[in-house]
Amino acid sequence: MSLSRREFIGIGSAAVAGMALSPGLRLVDLAQARSPDEAVTSLKRWGLLVDINKCNDCNACVTACHEENGVVGHDRPATDAQWIRKVTLKDKQTGYVQTLPVMCQHCEEPPCVDVCPTGASFKRADGIVLVDKHICIGCRYCMMACPYKARSFVHEDTTDQKPHAPRGKGTVESCTLCVHRVDAGKVPACVEACNKDGNKAMVFGDLKDRNSDISKHLASGSSTQLRPDLNLNTGVRYRGI
Amino acid sequence: MAHAHFNTMEGRGFGFYILLAILGGFILAGGLAALYMEHNGHWVTGMSNQIVWGTPHVFAVFLIVAASGALNVASIASVFGRQLYKPLARLSGLLAIALLTGGLIVLVLDLGRPDRLIEAMTYYNFKSIFAWNIFLYIGFFAVVAVYLWMMMERRMNDYTKPAGIFAFLWRLTLTTGTGSIFGFLVARDAYDTAVIAPMFIIMSFAYGLAIFMIVLLAAMRWTERELGNVVFERLRSLLGVFVAAVLYFVTIYHLTNLYITQRHGIEGFILLHGGVYTKMFWIGQIFLGSVVPLIILFSRLGKSRAMVVLASLLIVLGGLAQMYVTIIGGQAYPMPLVTGKEASSSFFDGVVASYVPSLPEAILGIGGIALALAMVVVALKILPFLPNSLSDADADPHFKATPAKSETAAA
């Protein structure tokens, strides 16, 4: 195909105009970054980094999470919900022992969202994986699919619920990354507790912002995901495993 | 063969009402069990945050798989043109609808929020195999109902073959969907393999035909209709072939896992040291559910109808055992969190999850079977599903070398 001079100039100027305008459009996007009453956008992706070299036997994150979200048990360990738990890892070869908190890993490609028949399991544009309690039918397929055992089924009546974290018998729930706090510009309860009463092992922030604390931490040292073989690109990362 | 004649059963006798009363009792008990579990919440069952699918799912998935398999007899008649199976086709379609109803009721009543079923009908996530299955299951009812209509309405008989082909393809897709509920689960070592879908299809052949045999033999006997050896022998050897084929797929499934080092853990658990799951696999699924029925079906023992009923019952029990091992055993074995490290926590990481089926769960499951059977019993009384006779002279196209044959020879 050959272009006439006229066509070349036409296409060329359209391309130049496009290149000139696109950074402007990008700026418009940024200028439109979210205020609290606006919908979330994919300009951010919330994430968490846990340095398990600093994490020890303390349980501050777990207590704070369950306190914040009104996750109360009935002294029945098999059926009580746990949004976050401390897991002890022991190396099979060397016997080296470590401990780390495990919660919903807020995957970029969450298996729970894939399998949910009604779409009750969903991922917000900013990467937070949630359950819509209004359309969850309690089939527990998401619990079958989650590689991290991050989800709990509400096995009995709940009382004293927090307005920001409704819990309903017969539905599935999990860590919300304290979405109500994040939307208000605060950090999740586990992170706050870890920094206040714990060992300052957790960093929370926007993975897409290169200047955020979490991005700088991630850029300056090694980190890993749980079950990296599944390629889910989790929002929660660990250092020191 | 001349046109088969069908008739409703009389169903006025004492036995009929006793049978309905017994089934009704189980259905009522199943309903009450569901109400009890729903009212209290699932903590009163054996299920937990570790074993999220329990005994109700064992029964439900078994019934759903068997439902599509029950349709095979009709498919053999309509799709593969076997005249011998034609008089059996109506009962086959009826049984398929009844078993699917029983299975789905159990599944729905075990949901955390069965009252929200409407959500499952109005909000769809099309990446979810569950969502596909909702369409496949509901569609199955419609497809089989139309198929039955084509078979039972004389004016529509010409369309039996296309309707039968469509129903056959639909049922293959449906069981692929059921198997893929597990096959597509990447997280757990027991699942996450494509072989589960075809394995479920071949399992459906065996379970569906076993239930069909039991129902056919009972219905023909209790309504005092003749069932000749030609039909009986054909179904018997077909059942044997299906059971053998299930064993082949089970072998391939385990061989594949045994070759993959990463999966030695789950294989050791199921095959060697998994306690109840190992026993259920070797004694329930393999010995009682496969080996003994194969011996009965392919030996002189299979001449006895009582023995063939026994073999069919064992295949059903073996099928339930297989589902138990697959569904509950697959969940009981812990998921790996970090390769090379043992995990432990207050949330049962790294340990084999314990599960003891509770009575209400089992009653709900049995209630589903009772519902399916009750539907069959009532339907047989209302509509002509059952042939008047399956005697050798009536059933075998080669038995009578008379001109009457030409009428059906075209199919």
Side-chain angles (χ1 to χ4, degrees):
Chain A
M1 187 185 85
S2 63
L3 290 175
S4 70
R5 182 156 49 175
R6 188 182 291 258
E7 281 168 332
F8 177 79
I9 292 172
I11 293 170
S13 42
V16 171
M19 280 190 291
L21 280 176
S22 51
L25 290 173
R26 171 82 182 139
L27 278 179
V28 171
D29 267 351
L30 288 176
Q32 284 172 345
R34 189 169 172 274
S35 84
D37 21 323
E38 273 176 304
V40 289
T41 73
S42 55
L43 292 175
K44 288 183 188 301
R45 183 177 179 210
W46 297 115
L48 203 56
L49 172 65
V50 186
D51 187 344
I52 70 171
N53 294 317
K54 294 182 185 166
C55 179
N56 62 21
D57 276 345
C58 126
N59 216 29
C61 55
V62 177
T63 315
C65 165
H66 289 164
E67 172 78 19
E68 172 75 22
N69 294 295
V71 180
V72 187
H74 301 81
D75 279 332
R76 287 188 264 269
T79 51
D80 282 345
Q82 293 201 29
W83 287 21
I84 177 172
R85 62 191 192 270
K86 285 300 290 289
V87 173
T88 305
L89 293 178
K90 185 177 174 193
D91 194 295
K92 284 179 194 167
Q93 304 294 325
T94 63
Y96 179 61
V97 174
Q98 293 170 296
T99 152
L100 72 166
V102 177
M103 70 298 274
C104 171
Q105 303 288 298
H106 299 279
C107 310
E108 187 180 19
E109 306 281 352
C112 59
V113 173
D114 288 345
V115 301
C116 177
T118 63
S121 242
F122 70 104
K123 189 185 71 169
R124 269 187 11 161
D126 59 3
I128 300 181
V129 176
L130 296 170
V131 180
D132 182 338
K133 312 296 271 181
H134 296 287
I135 52 174
C136 172
I137 58 174
C139 72
R140 286 104 79 200
Y141 198 13
C142 56
M143 298 174 72
M144 291 292 281
C146 175
Y148 307 108
K149 229 165 156 279
R151 291 202 158 177
S152 294
F153 182 64
V154 185
H155 283 77
E156 43 199 307
D157 281 316
T158 51
T159 48
D160 298 328
Q161 301 179 39
K162 307 282 178 179
H164 55 258
R167 310 181 62 219
K169 181 176 79 179
T171 60
V172 173
E173 58 184 21
S174 59
C175 155
T176 63
L177 211 59
C178 279
V179 64
H180 59 286
R181 293 171 60 101
V182 172
D183 281 349
K186 295 196 275 183
V187 299
C190 57
V191 178
E192 187 179 81
C194 186
N195 286 323
K196 200 166 116 228
D197 309 321
N199 299 288
K200 300 182 175 47
M202 291 168 122
V203 182
F204 170 82
D206 180 5
L207 296 170
K208 287 191 175 170
D209 175 2
R210 288 178 178 226
N211 296 315
S212 66
D213 259 6
I214 189 167
S215 294
K216 287 180 186 160
H217 270 91
L218 285 168
S220 66
S222 74
S223 63
T224 183
Q225 310 169 36
L226 294 180
R227 296 296 306 272
D229 53 317
L230 298 175
N231 220 9
L232 302 174
N233 192 11
T234 56
V236 178
R237 304 296 177 101
Y238 294 86
R239 171 169 294 165
I241 292 181
Chain B
M1 181 192 68
H3 266 305
H5 294 282
F6 294 85
N7 221 333
T8 56
M9 62 178 187
E10 210 165 279
R12 291 204 198 95
F14 188 60
F16 175 78
Y17 289 106
I18 287 285
L19 179 61
L20 268 191
I22 293 172
L23 293 174
F26 277 112
I27 296 169
L28 184 69
L32 289 174
L35 205 61
Y36 169 75
M37 291 188 282
E38 220 53 61
H39 179 74
N40 288 286
H42 274 64
W43 77 275
V44 297
T45 71
M47 289 176 268
S48 62
N49 283 324
Q50 284 60 244
I51 306 290
V52 300
W53 287 351
T55 303
H57 301 79
V58 171
F59 279 91
V61 178
F62 173 79
L63 284 169
I64 291 167
V65 168
S68 62
L71 193 66
N72 277 331
V73 174
S75 301
I76 296 170
S78 310
V79 180
F80 302 106
R82 300 275 173 233
Q83 291 299 312
L84 187 74
Y85 291 86
K86 222 163 190 178
L88 306 171
R90 294 183 183 185
L91 180 65
S92 160
L94 168 65
L95 204 53
I97 287 184
L99 291 171
L100 185 64
T101 310
L104 286 184
I105 289 277
V106 174
L107 201 63
V108 165
L109 288 180
D110 184 71
L111 290 177
R113 296 293 304 263
D115 54 311
R116 286 186 180 168
L117 197 59
I118 189 71
E119 311 291 350
M121 306 285 179
T122 46
Y123 290 84
Y124 287 107
N125 163 28
F126 286 105
K127 202 174 175 186
S128 165
I129 294 133
F130 257 16
W132 306 351
N133 283 348
I134 293 169
F135 281 96
L136 288 169
Y137 296 156
I138 294 172
F140 187 75
F141 286 122
V143 169
V144 177
V146 168
Y147 181 28
L148 279 172
W149 179 40
M150 302 297 141
M151 283 195 272
M152 296 173 80
E153 169 60 59
R154 195 179 291 262
R155 286 170 301 170
M156 307 302 281
N157 281 174
D158 287 349
Y159 303 105
T160 301
K161 186 162 186 174
I165 292 173
F166 191 67
F168 180 63
L169 294 176
W170 194 280
R171 66 124 314 202
L172 290 180
T173 316
L174 184 146
T175 316
T176 303
T178 312
S180 301
I181 290 174
F182 303 97
F184 289 2
L185 280 180
V186 295
R188 295 173 192 267
D189 284 347
Y191 311 134
D192 186 25
T193 165
V195 78
I196 291 185
M199 184 167 82
F200 267 49
I201 288 179
I202 202 69
M203 276 153 51
S204 80
F205 286 10
Y207 306 164
L209 187 57
I211 295 175
F212 183 84
M213 286 286 267
I214 298 168
V215 170
L216 178 73
L217 285 167
M220 294 302 274
R221 189 187 178 117
W222 291 341
T223 58
E224 293 169 348
R225 300 176 197 216
E226 197 182 334
L227 173 63
N229 268 332
V230 174
V231 170
F232 172 75
E233 291 292 325
R234 197 71 71 83
L235 291 176
R236 172 176 76 115
S237 38
L238 190 62
L239 186 59
V241 171
F242 288 166
V243 173
V246 173
L247 267 186
Y248 166 77
F249 270 87
V250 169
T251 309
I252 290 299
Y253 165 82
H254 286 292
L255 277 180
T256 310
N257 278 352
L258 283 169
Y259 204 84
I260 303 171
T261 310
Q262 198 183 347
R263 298 204 165 176
H264 286 180
I266 179 73
E267 283 304 311
F269 178 68
I270 298 293
L271 301 180
L272 294 175
H273 48 74
V276 65
Y277 305 105
T278 303
K279 286 191 191 115
M280 210 165 268
F281 176 78
W282 287 111
I283 300 174
Q285 180 181 336
I286 300 299
F287 183 69
L288 293 176
S290 307
V291 175
V292 174
L294 278 177
I295 292 172
I296 293 176
L297 294 170
F298 284 130
S299 73
R300 292 174 58 86
L301 290 169
K303 300 281 174 206
S304 150
R305 299 200 175 179
M307 288 306 280
V308 171
V309 169
L310 175 68
S312 302
L313 285 171
L314 285 174
I315 293 167
V316 170
L317 283 179
L320 287 167
Q322 176 152 21
M323 287 299 168
Y324 198 92
V325 172
T326 305
I327 298 177
I328 299 175
Q331 293 173 79
Y333 188 72
M335 284 184 285
L337 195 63
V338 177
T339 312
K341 305 211 183 224
E342 283 169 12
S344 60
S345 76
S346 60
F347 206 52
F348 305 93
D349 279 283
V351 294
V352 171
S354 71
Y355 171 80
V356 181
S358 65
L359 191 61
E361 287 173 84
I363 291 177
L364 173 61
I366 293 166
I369 295 183
L371 177 71
L373 294 177
M375 281 176 70
V376 172
V377 171
V378 172
L380 289 181
K381 183 175 160 62
I382 298 172
L383 288 168
F385 282 102
L386 210 56
N388 285 345
S389 167
L390 287 172
S391 68
D392 293 346
D394 287 320
D396 185 1
H398 305 294
F399 199 80
K400 280 192 291 184
T402 60
K405 211 176 113 181
S406 61
E407 195 179 348
T408 47

